[in-house]
Amino acid sequence: MEALLDKNRLKDWIAALDGWEAYAPARQDGIWSYQPAGDNPELNHPNTPQPPKGFAFPQREIFFKFEQVKGEAPRLTAVSPAPTFRVVFGVRPCDGRAVPRMDRVFSDHVDDGYYQARRDGLAYVGLACNTPPSRHCFCQSVGGSPVSTDGLDVLLTDLGERYFVAAVTDTGKALMQAAGALLAKPGAAERKEVARLHAAAVAQPQRGVNDAAAAPAKLKAGFDSPLWEELARACIGCGICTFLCPTCHCFDINDEVTGTVPLKGSRVRTWDSCQFPDFTMHSSGHNPRDTLGSRLRQRVSHKFRYFHENFGMHQCTGCGRCVSECPVGIDIVRVVNEIAGSV
Amino acid sequence: MSSKKRTGVFVCHCGNNIAATVDVAKVARVMATEDSVVYSEDYVYMCSDPGQKAVIEAIKKNQLDSVVVTCCSPNLHEKTFRDNAQAAGLNGFTCEIANIREQCAWVHKDRNVATAKAIKISRSAVRRASRNQALEPIGIGVTRRVLVIGGGIAGIQAALDLANAGLEVVLVEKQATLGGHMIQLSETFPTLDCSQCILSPKMVEVSRHPKIKLMTYSEVKEVTGYVGNFKVNILKKPTYVDPEACKLCDDCTQVCPVMVPNQYELGLTARRAIHIPFAQAIPASYTLDIDACLGLNPVRCGKCKDVCEAGAIDYDMLPRTVTEEVGAIVVATGFDLYGQDNLGEYGHGKIEDVLDGLQFERLCSASGPTRGKVLRPSDHSEPKDVVFIQCAGSRDPAQHCAYCSKICCMYTAKHASLYKHHVPDGRAWVFYIDIRSGGKGYEEFVQRTMETDETIYLRGRVSRLYQENGKIRVLGTDTLSGQNVEIDADMVVLALAMTPSKGTAEAAKVLKIGRDKDGFLAEAHPKLKPVESVTAGIFLAGTAQGPKDIPETVAQASAAAAKVIGLLSQPRLTHAPTVAKVRAAHCTGCEMCVDACPYDAIHLENGKAVVNAVLCEGCGTCQSTCLRAAIEVKNATLLQMNEMIEAVLGY
Amino acid sequence: MGDNIYLPQLARVAHIKEEVAGERAIKTFRLEFDNGGGFEHECGQCAMLSIFGRGESMISIASSPLIRDYKQFSIMRVGRVTSAFHELAVGDVVGIRGPYGNSFPVDAWRGKNLVFIGGGCGLAPIWPVIQTAVAQRADFREITVFYGGRSPRDIMYRAELEKLRGAVDVHLSVDKAEEGWDAFCGFVPANLMAKQPAPDNAIAITCGPPIMIKYVIENLRSLGFKDEQIYTTIENKMKCGLGKCGRCNVGKDYVCVKGPVYSWAELKELPAEY
Amino acid sequence: MIDLNALRTQAADILETGEVGAVIGWRRGSRGMAAEPVAIVAPEEAASLVWDPTCFHNLALYLVEERKKPAQRQVHGGKPIAIVAKGCDARAVTVLLQENHFGRDDVYVIGVSCEGTGVLDERKLAQVLPGVEPDGAAFDGDNFVFATSEGERRVPAREAMMDRCLECRNAHPKLNNVVFGEETPRDFDAPFAALKRFEQRPAAERWQFWQRQFERCIRCFACRSVCPMCYCDECVVDSINLVVTPETTAAEKADRVRWIERSASRADNIGYHMTRALHLAGRCVDCGECERVCPVNIPLRLLNNKMEREAREAFGYEPGASIDLPALVASFRDDDPGQFIR
Amino acid sequence: MSEQTPYEPRIVAFLCKWCSSAGSDLAGVSRIQYPANATPITVACSGGVSPQYILSALRKGADGVLVSGCHIGDCHYMEGNMHARRKLYLVKELLEFAGVEPERFRMSWVSAAEGAKFAQVVRDFVEDLRPLGPQDKLNAERP
Ligand SMILES: Cc1cc2nc3c(=O)[nH]c(=O)nc-3n(C[C@H](O)[C@H](O)[C@H](O)COP(=O)(O)OP(=O)(O)OC[C@H]3O[C@@H](n4cnc5c(N)ncnc54)[C@H](O)[C@@H]3O)c2cc1C
Ligand SMILES: Cc1cc2nc3c(=O)[nH]c(=O)nc-3n(C[C@H](O)[C@H](O)[C@H](O)COP(=O)(O)OP(=O)(O)OC[C@H]3O[C@@H](n4cnc5c(N)ncnc54)[C@H](O)[C@@H]3O)c2cc1C
Ligand code: SF4
Ligand code: SF4
Ligand code: SF4
Ligand code: SF4
Ligand code: SF4
Ligand code: SF4
């Protein structure tokens, strides 16, 4: 299903999405982030520093609440995410490609009900990258493309005054149907223009991982390379690269006490990062990954080797956030290339 | 500590004092719902005999390991109930008091409100108790010896009092002789008795006292340890003269070719490089001033060694460091005068006939440079017009010292009066701001100086003085008459402010004791602990602590001695065990706690803070300062405080 | 939402036994489920135990799968959650979810000699295997247990170990000689070398502190054990137990799912991040 | 103008003579034009050192224990480490010295003066040159010069400079073993200008502002990780750097207070940021790095500036001024303000 | 907390043992009535009150925090209150800066002889807090 939408009717489409909460990138306090879609959303954003991953995997998730009166058994009350239907506009293809990857993680072995419940009500309306949203993008080298539809329900292509709207999934079709008369039928010229724009986007020069297919084997061979410490030398061990990555999913579980008489609190999941030193530290103080190099190796290997070994795909979609946002410029592309080049 | 605490709560009615406003039964009931509480009851008078017995019984019967008594102020019965806990076989520190009387029942009327608050107070005590550790008081052995620093009248008096009480004393004096400033005075107000005459016998007594080890020409270089157990390193500078061998024949000074100003005479006369400060110096021996000497090399000079028949001179004498162990320290390092060179308006000390008080004392002294005649240093003529200026450097926060030096009014009156006795036809003027003559017989003394000795007192400041035609022109105002005053004086005597001596600053540094904003040694409490320093075991005496005259100095010295005697009369000192403890793993050695601790109880060892439990008073300043929560006071830990906050908020 | 995989069941502490005292004390807890709750497990699996308000800890199930009335856990006091466990009293209720992880392939070991080598707290994970093997004694050939602690006071399951004697060869050791100790003095790997168990038709199962395991494996290999004959468990830090939170992973494996039981042959293939 | 070759020669020399074991400086990175921190150990590597407007990082961070390790590992015989330091970086080294993090002899400060400019603010540049992604940046008098695909672009430095540099009071490193560049008079904004403007706003507005900021924080802790003064092995507000040594007892771990939770909720974020601001009072040298690295643009400098201004105005305390000064909160003066106390 | 009960500010009051706690005792002995909103926690010295306590109390729902110690010069530990004055000044400034009502944090010097003053300090504090309503800025009321 394909259609045309006047850019200034985007708000009307959103208004027509009955029962859906809509979100779109907006600039506030100097940065772009996904916000409830305002009166006149314009999809002219660069890549938002934070990906839309929080919609399905929020930074904080309450699993259940507990309450215990002295001498009695604790009472547990599971907290389930309220069933909501949310549609996120303006998702870049790299972030779209992150969706199936996250889906894999949270359904592998057993289903994570919390993720699933949020994911079930989510739709992503993507926006093709006619021009690269950042100089650090490298989606093509990791199997993606600036016009990829992977993980998206709808893909928009910017035609200047109008969007070319293409449904990817049934949900996408439903969203488009809701637009009714707002959508116009595209003609051959428009289709041609889209094809041209897409081809041009793909043809844009991009930096990239040299041979992503070979990366798993190369990283395996280079596991003991002294280069890891070398490459991590400037790393300050913050969590930016992981917190902002659309596919990083590590988390922590903690009990948050909110009262002591009687004992009250919640068990809560929060994002965590393999770059933090205590992430793997045993209670004895032994830490299997006790250097910045070993932690960088874990992050990069997880994305380019382990995930591939388990699921047959890279866990990096080339969004470039970990590169652009890293305070000291640790560059995952360079890391993969250097390690691969050293073996 | 592998199982949960078993806390007992005892809620007191205090007759009706508490029970009238607080629902004590409810408090007891609610406390029973606390996690750690296994026993909770209320009782009419907890502190009564049966009440106390009941507590002891309940502890035993319920195998309690911690106790909370919710009753009146801990000031009243904390000890009682801690003793009860102890009697029941618990450690006293596992008992906490919740004050629901003074802080609750007595100050509120509404029963519900008061009960709710009482519950919060009690709950926070329960939380605290459930994390209390059993602590044993820290016992400290004591060394029954005392170090006295400074051999002025303060040090002398303290040393004698201590020694007479049977304590061994080490008296360290920086100069070659005992005596301090008092030995330089001619007569002393208000009785005008001869200073040397009253001091010399005491000096002799010190030197002969079997319990006093006198170390002159010595300095304290390092002090470690703590109350009861200080270790002191004392540097004994070489005098190059063996006091035992020296016969005081004075042959050496006759041949010594070097002349330097005589400090004892405040530069009014000169002395040789080898010298005795004054005839009655104790120890009675010569000292070779190495800074002045031409060189300890017989080739260069060596005249004194040649001439000394007693063979007392030893050029090879070396500085020696002696280590002494003492249980307490008295600091009596005295004062200096505010330098004349600080006073630009009075000629920067460059006008020869402008003297300071001590110099004038020497001029009046029968043993002084002029054998007791008041003569101008410049031409040895008898001054006929002498101006005395009080508050020279005192009470002038903008330029000089803010404080009142306290003794200047008196000694100026004394000086004027002595002058008039020496030069009956001379005229004496005194410029003053106020006359402060509180003290027995002091006011009368000043009145006599004014009336009998016909001294002219002018209220006002001298703005400037300068030399003209062999006179010193003094420009001032008499604020009473509003007139400008100009006097052509033959001599001017400045009553310079009393400042802490250089040695006092040095001693404070070595001892790590505080000084006040003026540099005098800081007492632990301005009213209640005037002779204690901030550090346990270190006491203060004399002008090192603040300006004072001789009677006050002596009184403080004796007071310090009494404090030391009291301290060292205990066979063992005990110290509260609620002291700070470092979590070494978290400490980064940033030294913030070290700087913040008011008791200097913390130092670094291998890059980690270490608390000296004996010095720590448990104030918690370190705990609130450490950024990393690496130091906590036992039984008042961060966790305990946080849980108390939670309890108070019903969180 | 379907099954809530993070929601624990409740279980009551039915019995507590102090195994080892001291700074790193060990206590054994017997947990019983109320009315019909619970789950089945296999030897070597673990469960997430929680004390509400304090948190969760992954603990090996130390009782045999054959016992259905309760589950037993031996917990060493090392930190926040485990300290809270040590404060529990009989009757207290805790949370439990599981079972997690893979298990020892006990069925495949039938007809073989079993050599157990444990140290410190490391007896707990292999204890169910020992119990099962002893319960089905006829299915196995020689069974040998090596176990050592720092001192006699650090020997856990002391009474139970003594009871095994007869059915099983028990070789105890302590690190340092002490009065009244007449068995082996020295480290567990040394005890192993002293007794020289034969590799033929044998399986060696070892568990304990990482450094001990390292030497045990070296020694086993020098005794002629093949990599495939050596089994151990690895205990990386875990939070979810479900292969999602990411912290236990070693290479591509989430230890909470693929482990904690590994043969040395398998483990060798993984990065040494444990 | 700093002679880069002289700086490189200096670095090479001290490595050559063995005076230092490593030099921490900047080199070209692969993330756009931005320089990246590097530690060099061989004299020949000195040729890779750079000094340009993208040298924004405060390298003092790499003198801190944990981060020092990679560099240190290569330093033989415990030799001192040299660090290239701007004015603010040198102040940070001073604070670290003040807090005994290492000894004066353990560090060799190669000072670089920012002279009349400062370093680049990439977010500002994106506004000044929208859509342009330069490949290189250089100083040129009062300007920054950017190399772009369309040739050179010249931007007045003050338009694209970090706020911190606009308000910098000490662009010439006072603590140094050797220093490059001049001590040039600077004529930008008065210190605390932005702060003062902010303080003018009514309380309710201030709260609105901070609430939004704090709610946005994702607690990635980059602000803390990048801060040379946040070197604690375990931050009090969070256990990300859990201190667990073989000596740490179970009780010590169990008794650690959790002042705030790990959740990035408003109250917890405020707890974190207020604690951090208080912990940096008298220690923060206004290198502005926390603000630069924050991926969600939280104006952290404002908080630290506030504390710094109070330290200065209320207590006469200048962070990073002297190695011998006691810490701000470990000391007091008799005339500290007390009017707020009843 | 039900709707109908009027708002009563909850105050955590850190009182130093030697002066302010003794002062509050004196208020008690003198039967001086004051509002019950402030619950005391006795600490050794105001200098030992960590800024963390104040933040923690606010986070846990305190509407106001009071720290009271000996007058300057009278500190039992000589200079603890000087440290408190400096440290807590910073806390106060910071809270105010962030837009938290400055009335929420209060410090006072109350000597052992100032029972009446203690009562007045509490009275004033409660009165100043009442119009502000519950403190919900730093309060971790979680969903
Ligand atoms: C001009 C003048 C006139 C006065 N007239 C009178 C009077 O008439 N009546 C009266 O009551 N009072 C008078 N006073 C006051 C009187 O002099 C002092 O009260 C008294 O001398 C104080 O004694 P002290 O022991 O405290 O100090 P000091 O006399 O100063 O003695 C201190 C001693 O400590 C020694 N010392 C210092 N530092 C060290 C160190 N680090 N280590 C070892 N030793 C050290 C010094 O060498 C000195 O010997 C007068 C004072 C002045 C200035
Ligand atoms: C497969 C497996 C089997 C195991 N079997 C056993 C067994 O049978 N017996 C046994 O004794 N042990 C066993 N363990 C080890 C056991 O899981 C750990 O010892 C235990 O989890 C330690 O928990 P703790 O809370 O006491 O330790 P801690 O070291 O206190 O805490 C561990 C976790 O809590 C968090 N934490 C602690 N304090 C704080 C704080 N103040 N703020 C925020 N977070 C904090 C830490 O980040 C860390 O994640 C096993 C482990 C594994 C993986
Ligand atoms: S790579 Fe960069 S973003 Fe990631 S932890 Fe290191 S410094 Fe932080
Ligand atoms: S690894 Fe980096 S580039 Fe790849 S998806 Fe994550 S943030 Fe983007
Ligand atoms: S303040 Fe804290 S970290 Fe610093 S030295 Fe003291 S205990 Fe250690
Ligand atoms: S509690 Fe007070 S006296 Fe004790 S170490 Fe800390 S600051 Fe010093
Ligand atoms: S860098 Fe920014 S988002 Fe990250 S913790 Fe700091 S303030 Fe929060
Ligand atoms: S915020 Fe404070 S405790 Fe945390 S790392 Fe920084 S200085 Fe240390």
Side-chain angles (χ1 to χ4, degrees), chain A residues 27-31 33 49-50 59-60 133-136 207 229-230 232-240 243-244 252 254-257 268-273 276-279 281-286 290-292 295 323-331 334, chain D residues 27-33 35-41 56-57 61-62 66-67 70-71 73-74 123 127 133-135 209 212-213 216-222 225-226 239-246 253 258 261-265 268 292-297:
Chain A
R27 198 175 141 95
Q28 197 190 45
D29 289 319
I31 66 152
S33 60
Q50 289 199 71
Q59 184 159 10
R60 174 168 193 262
S134 129
R135 76 182 296 166
H136 307 291
R207 63 204 292 270
E229 291 299 336
E230 187 70 16
R233 193 182 269 174
C235 173
I236 61 173
C238 66
I240 286 187
F243 278 21
L244 300 188
D252 195 3
N254 278 299
D255 283 6
E256 295 182 354
V257 174
V268 176
R269 153 158 85 196
T270 52
W271 290 352
D272 204 346
S273 167
F276 293 151
D278 79 330
F279 185 70
M281 189 192 275
H282 295 188
S283 293
S284 62
H286 167 65
D290 67 343
T291 63
L292 292 163
R295 298 198 279 270
V323 186
S324 60
E325 301 297 325
C326 172
V328 294
I330 305 267
D331 171 3
R334 177 162 119 212
Chain D
R27 70 170 172 203
R28 276 275 66 71
S30 63
R31 203 214 78 181
M33 64 173 163
E36 71 178 13
V38 65
I40 59 167
V41 292
F56 19 66
H57 323 84
L61 158 75
Y62 297 102
E66 151 89 359
R67 322 241 191 278
R73 219 167 279 137
Q74 310 195 23
R123 289 190 183 114
Q127 304 298 309
E133 300 236 27
D135 300 313
F209 176 85
R212 228 175 38 242
Q213 307 295 341
R216 197 164 64 234
C217 171
I218 56 171
R219 292 264 289 286
C220 64
F221 291 121
S225 301
V226 84
S239 61
I240 291 267
N241 297 294
L242 261 190
V243 176
V244 182
T245 66
K253 283 192 264 173
R258 284 171 88 140
E261 300 294 351
R262 203 156 190 179
S263 289
S265 69
D268 293 318
R292 176 184 70 88
V293 304
C294 177
V296 296
N297 227 8

Side-chain angles (χ1 to χ4, degrees), chain C residues 69-228:
Chain C
D69 303 345
Y70 62 84
K71 299 217 185 293
Q72 195 154 300
F73 300 89
S74 292
I75 303 178
M76 184 186 280
R77 187 164 74 105
V78 293
R80 203 177 156 78
V81 177
T82 51
S83 288
F85 265 94
H86 276 241
E87 290 189 352
L88 291 181
V90 169
D92 286 346
V93 176
V94 299
I96 176 169
R97 57 187 175 92
Y100 296 130
N102 65 351
S103 55
F104 290 104
V106 180
D107 285 338
W109 294 345
R110 292 182 201 278
K112 291 184 192 277
N113 299 324
L114 300 182
V115 185
F116 295 92
I117 308 123
C121 196
L123 198 52
I126 53 179
W127 193 247
V129 194
I130 299 176
Q131 293 292 297
T132 306
V134 170
Q136 304 167 345
R137 187 67 190 85
D139 287 3
F140 300 90
R141 298 198 29 217
E142 270 172 42
I143 303 178
T144 320
V145 175
F146 290 88
Y147 175 68
R150 235 174 292 173
S151 73
R153 280 173 312 283
D154 295 319
I155 301 276
M156 64 186 290
Y157 297 166
R158 185 78 187 265
E160 290 87 338
L161 281 165
E162 294 302 336
K163 258 192 266 162
L164 289 182
R165 287 191 200 274
V168 172
D169 262 351
V170 179
H171 302 291
L172 299 185
S173 64
V174 294
D175 293 356
K176 260 196 249 103
E178 206 170 297
E179 196 145 337
W181 183 259
D182 38 24
F184 189 83
C185 291
F187 297 110
V188 174
N191 196 11
L192 183 67
M193 286 320 267
K195 308 292 172 342
Q196 301 257 342
D200 317 298
N201 192 29
I203 293 289
I205 305 115
T206 179
C207 189
I211 185 76
M212 183 204 92
I213 296 188
K214 185 172 166 242
Y215 288 112
V216 166
I217 289 175
E218 267 179 31
N219 290 355
L220 284 170
R221 289 168 43 100
S222 74
L223 288 173
F225 281 79
K226 298 264 166 3
D227 293 346
E228 295 75 21

